[in-house]
Amino acid sequence: MLTANSQQPTARSQQPKNKKMTIKERITALRSAMKKAGLAAWIVPGTDPHMNENLPNHWAERAYISGFTGSYGKVVITHDMAGLWTDGRYFIQATEQLKEGGLQMFKERVPDAVSVSEYLADVLNKGDKVGINGLIVPENWLTSYQNDFAEKGLELVTDIDVLGQIWDDRPALSDAPLFTLPENITGESTALKLERLRLSMKGVDATLFTMLDEIAWLYNVRGADVLCNPVVMSYAWVEKGVALLFVDENKVSKEDRAILEDNGVSIYPYGAILEMLPELSEGKTVQTEFGTTNHALFNAMDKAEVIDVPSWAADQKSQKNAVELEGMEKAMVKDGVALTKFYMWLDQELSQKSLSEYEVGLKLADFRSDLEEYKGESFNPIVGYKANASLPHYSASKTKSDMIKAEGTLLIDTGGQYMHGTTDITRTVALGAFSDDVKHDFTLVLKCHIALATVKFPKGTRGCQLDVLARLPLWNENKDYLHGTGHGVGHFLNVHEGPQSIRKEENPVTLKPGMVMSNEPGFYWEEHYGVRTENVQAIVEDENDFLAFKTITLFPIDKKLIDVTLLSASERDWLNDYHQDVYNQLSPFLNEEENAWLKEKTLPILV
């Protein structure tokens, strides 16, 4: 069993610092540690104890050992191979970033893809040991690995951390303070949420929550422990009459502690959960989600009946209440104001000089930061000029950033965190002369976007059943994109929020009123250009048990890039109506010059 002392970091843990190793040196050191531990392979799942998409620096193991900075991928190190498994969002990025360490790239979510377990079962010998840190691998992954490896006679080891042994300059966990949100922002008190949760726990003694956004929602707390995600490193345990929050106590002020305690929440040290779980859970029926609960926690409940249940908090959190929806729309207005000021600035600056992609990303954040209740970016900005936009998750850096000129096209995908909502918007804009191919494909993507924005669908519909609508205009020309079409968006929480999605892959979660989702089809011609148009939309009730989408993002779509002859009358009407709504909602907050700029951008298009 993993213990708190050996595996669970404290918020201020810091190991001695040595000379920084290259990636190849790190892999060599890891192989040496593997050899001492008797391991034939080591898996880096690219996760942390809470299955965060954005990892705290302390848990950025995948980037540390491979150089790959994307948000998805698994690394496997054997004594004669080092490789990264990732999906289509990152094929191009991974190819470039893996060069330094010499790792191979293995493609996932494509036909005939070979999984990590299939690969290891093929190259290793019977009796070989494969290691993985049980604190950062979800229980269902581990079970799958165990089943696959058992057929080959491989042994899975989870109680040692050889990567942690070699990472001498590992960053400490964040010490940013926790803060509570008032009910006029959340729309519901923590006490009432706990009451509803307990009413749902029929035949269950306790619930364990490990996902940080779920805990933040349940207890109405926020923080700054994960880049761009306003969450706090924590765990939650709830049973009848008991609600525990495991968190670094130094992060909780007297005032916030009092608020939590008034709502029935008791606070314990973050690292104490592994020590307390055996006693808390003994003889009880505990529900948790195996896909998000790490193996170390699961293992600590070996004297309990632990059942795999979809998270109640995830489901409830995804369906925003009226106060949250009002807050989201308020955030979109603020965001639209910042975007108007930014794009005006961009037009003016590019008429005089070139700008770097990195500089442009920083400048947009500056415009947002001028707004009240702005709390930071909701994800690292994607600013891709010309061919760089063909990388869906392109990220410019201070040292590697192309110069933008008044020609071609620019794709900007950014978002903001506001006290009352989270935003996410992508616009592809023309800066000067561009090809007919760009205009054609931009219009196809717009048709895809409008098809999803205007669909009505019966209750009980799943996201994968709608995904084809946002691809059909592209499919008709044998074109496609490799990322999902829509993800959930949090209420001053994670910009990528489950459990709902709109993508090709089957997801049994049905779409429900109150869910807030992105609509972001795109098209990417490698080494030429990329286009994507993204708005955020809320699911609303329609007639006869049907649902519909209400677009809440507010900013113009670049008309210069539209081939009007490809749009139907209804598509033109949608765009004109949308632009009129954009102008009506943003203009009261703009000065005369800004209003004139926005007015021109939102004038109706004609045949």
Side-chain angles (χ1 to χ4, degrees), residues 414-600:
T414 63
Q417 294 284 7
Y418 300 87
M419 185 72 79
H420 37 258
T422 300
T423 70
D424 182 3
I425 176 173
T426 307
R427 288 294 184 267
T428 308
V429 296
L431 304 179
F434 53 86
S435 70
D436 290 340
D437 287 336
V438 173
K439 188 171 188 175
H440 181 83
D441 290 334
F442 180 92
T443 309
L444 289 183
V445 169
L446 177 59
K447 290 172 70 69
C448 293
H449 180 94
I450 295 172
L452 185 60
T454 56
V455 66
K456 296 182 179 182
F457 53 96
K459 291 181 178 179
T461 298
R462 306 183 306 282
C464 63
Q465 294 173 297
L466 300 183
D467 185 76
V468 64
L469 297 174
R471 297 180 189 268
L472 190 57
L474 286 166
W475 282 1
N476 285 338
E477 297 194 10
N478 299 329
K479 298 174 180 179
D480 198 7
Y481 50 95
L482 295 178
H483 56 74
T485 299
H487 56 80
V489 179
H491 171 258
F492 186 28
L493 271 175
N494 297 359
V495 71
H496 291 162
E497 176 179 270
Q500 76 278 19
S501 64
I502 300 175
R503 57 188 311 124
K504 291 179 182 178
E505 295 82 4
E506 170 64 23
N507 180 347
V509 175
T510 60
L511 304 182
K512 300 173 183 176
M515 288 180 171
V516 177
M517 305 191 70
S518 68
N519 173 357
E520 50 183 312
F523 179 72
Y524 313 93
W525 185 5
E526 188 175 341
E527 299 183 354
H528 288 80
Y529 57 81
V531 296
R532 182 164 66 251
T533 297
E534 176 188 18
N535 284 337
V536 172
Q537 47 197 33
I539 300 178
V540 297
E541 298 269 5
D542 203 71
E543 299 176 354
N544 301 324
D545 284 331
F546 269 65
L547 302 174
F549 289 114
K550 176 186 178 182
T551 298
I552 59 176
T553 296
L554 297 168
F555 190 73
I557 294 167
D558 193 347
K559 295 179 294 181
K560 294 191 296 294
L561 285 168
I562 300 173
D563 181 348
V564 179
T565 65
L566 295 180
L567 297 183
S568 67
S570 62
E571 289 169 336
R572 292 195 304 273
D573 289 345
W574 179 90
L575 185 66
N576 290 336
D577 289 346
Y578 173 68
H579 279 163
Q580 186 63 55
D581 188 44
V582 168
Y583 183 79
N584 290 344
Q585 293 207 51
L586 298 187
S587 58
F589 304 97
L590 302 174
N591 63 32
E592 185 177 349
E593 182 184 9
E594 293 160 350
N595 255 312
W597 184 91
L598 185 64
K599 184 70 174 178
E600 190 279 327

Side-chain angles (χ1 to χ4, degrees), residues 136-152:
I136 62 173
V137 61
E139 180 60 23
N140 67 347
W141 283 22
L142 193 88
T143 301
S144 177
Y145 285 143
Q146 286 174 327
N147 292 338
D148 293 342
F149 292 159
E151 297 178 6
K152 180 69 175 183

Side-chain angles (χ1 to χ4, degrees), residues 7 47 71 81 142 159 213 337 372 396 426 430 462 511 513 576:
Q7 287 287 329
T47 52
S71 65
M81 191 283 302
L142 193 88
D159 59 354
D213 62 331
V337 170
E372 290 184 3
T426 307
R462 306 183 306 282
L511 304 182
N576 290 336

Side-chain angles (χ1 to χ4, degrees), residues 98-152:
L98 296 180
K99 289 179 180 178
E100 179 186 346
L103 286 82
Q104 297 177 234
M105 184 183 69
F106 294 81
K107 295 182 178 182
E108 289 193 323
R109 298 174 180 171
V110 297
D112 302 319
V114 177
S115 69
V116 167
S117 57
E118 288 172 334
Y119 175 85
L120 290 176
D122 182 55
V123 302
L124 298 183
N125 299 314
K126 184 177 181 179
D128 280 347
K129 295 181 179 180
V130 178
I132 192 169
N133 184 352
L135 188 64
I136 62 173
V137 61
E139 180 60 23
N140 67 347
W141 283 22
L142 193 88
T143 301
S144 177
Y145 285 143
Q146 286 174 327
N147 292 338
D148 293 342
F149 292 159
E151 297 178 6
K152 180 69 175 183

Side-chain angles (χ1 to χ4, degrees), residues 14 76 85 98 114 118 132 162 170 175 178 211 253-254 256 275-276 290 339 346 367-368 450:
Q14 186 78 42
V76 174
W85 275 251
L98 296 180
V114 177
E118 288 172 334
I132 192 169
V162 292
R170 190 169 196 159
D175 59 1
L178 167 154
M211 293 291 284
S253 68
K254 290 182 180 179
D256 286 320
E275 298 169 350
M276 294 177 61
F290 289 13
L339 288 162
L346 184 64
F367 277 106
R368 285 188 170 114
I450 295 172

